[in-house]
Amino acid sequence: MSDKRQRARVQGSWAKQVPKQPRVAAGAVPNNLPTRNVNSTASWGIGSEQKAFDFQQPTETVRKAPAEKLIELAGDHVISNGPSGVSRLCLVPWFLEQKEADWIFSKLLEELPWSQKTNYRQGDGYEEPRLTCWFGELPYTYANSTMAANTQWNPLLLSLREKVQEACGDGSSFNSLLCNLYRDGKDSIGWHSDDEASLGPAPTIASLSLGDTRLFSLRKQPPPEENGDYTYVERVRVPLGHGSLLVMDGATQDDWQHQVAKEYHDRGPRINLTFRTIYPEPRGHRPGSKLRVTGHPS
């Protein structure tokens, strides 16, 4: 291919002519190449004196979040010993037999007066992402919204309360019940503690699960110096299946928060019965206000 055709293919017909280079014999060095001072390092940005790399140790300690603890086995589990006291979970995975749990689930799903509660945050109302109902001689206030007293206990709930009290022992006596219905995986409850003043110090809460399995998560309250940062706190997760019973007592409500998070895959309905003891609001406390022992932020 001629030089002219090659230029047209590569650069277009407008390309300037490339001056012909003189032929150089094999092994010879062209005398028109620019010379370079091999001793000069200025073009590389390197001074005449080279310094060795000096490694500096990090001044801050590298922190790692503790591994999340999984609780699946039956028994008592101490999850922390402070700062307010011993925080303890008791798990009974098969508290109800399969057939009994199936029957109770279908009855409660159909017969309880489920409704969607409106809560308030900084004056703005929002609907809870689940359905609830309340049983007890006293009203219950949380999230700036009150559930009215309701003494019309379903007979099935009364028999379940007796069974749960027996399992808890130590003379446990629950006078109220908050029922939650998670219709699917999109229903949830965010991070919180059941630490309202009306529940008293160190409340015991017994949680009976019916229906599809959901993951119950806990995270420890950070110490004051963390300024509310939960990055490095201890965490626990407990899968709660059909017919399981989980009891939280000791300092769990003061030193820990818990949640049932949304799940982004198919989940069927789940009923959660949380038996508790409620007292008249302490004098000087606004209904629903918190009762804190250690001064953790809410």
Side-chain angles (χ1 to χ4, degrees), residues 139-280:
Y140 181 40
T141 300
Y142 67 92
N144 299 308
S145 176
T146 299
M147 305 184 81
N150 177 15
T151 58
Q152 303 301 310
W153 285 70
N154 183 297
L156 182 53
L157 294 177
L158 292 173
S159 64
L160 286 172
R161 182 176 68 172
E162 290 182 12
K163 189 178 179 74
V164 169
Q165 287 176 166
E166 258 183 58
C168 292
D170 297 328
S172 297
S173 177
F174 302 114
N175 66 3
S176 54
L177 168 64
L178 177 61
C179 308
N180 297 281
L181 171 58
Y182 300 85
R183 295 160 291 184
D184 53 33
K186 296 182 178 64
D187 276 0
S188 63
I189 185 169
W191 289 112
H192 71 287
S193 301
D194 294 320
D195 56 355
E196 288 79 20
S198 60
L199 297 176
T204 296
I205 296 178
S207 172
L208 177 60
S209 295
L210 299 159
D212 211 343
T213 299
R214 293 293 293 267
L215 189 64
F216 185 77
S217 302
L218 300 100
R219 66 179 184 182
K220 197 172 185 188
Q221 296 276 10
E225 60 268 21
E226 295 290 351
N227 297 314
D229 184 359
Y230 287 84
T231 303
Y232 301 104
V233 300
E234 298 171 64
R235 295 176 184 266
V236 176
R237 56 191 173 100
V238 189
L240 295 179
H242 189 41
S244 65
L245 177 67
L246 179 70
V247 180
M248 299 180 282
D249 67 4
T252 306
Q253 301 306 320
D254 194 68
D255 289 347
W256 293 75
Q257 290 185 329
H258 54 270
Q259 73 163 355
V260 176
K262 296 182 187 298
E263 298 191 18
Y264 296 95
H265 49 272
D266 291 341
R267 285 294 187 195
R270 169 185 181 252
I271 291 175
N272 175 230
L273 307 176
T274 56
F275 295 93
R276 58 192 70 201
T277 301
I278 194 167
Y279 304 94

Side-chain angles (χ1 to χ4, degrees), residues 73-78 88-91:
L73 300 178
D76 292 328
H77 303 269
V78 173
R88 184 170 41 248
L89 303 177
C90 177
L91 178 63

Side-chain angles (χ1 to χ4, degrees), residues 24-33:
V24 180
V29 178
N31 56 10
N32 60 345
L33 293 179

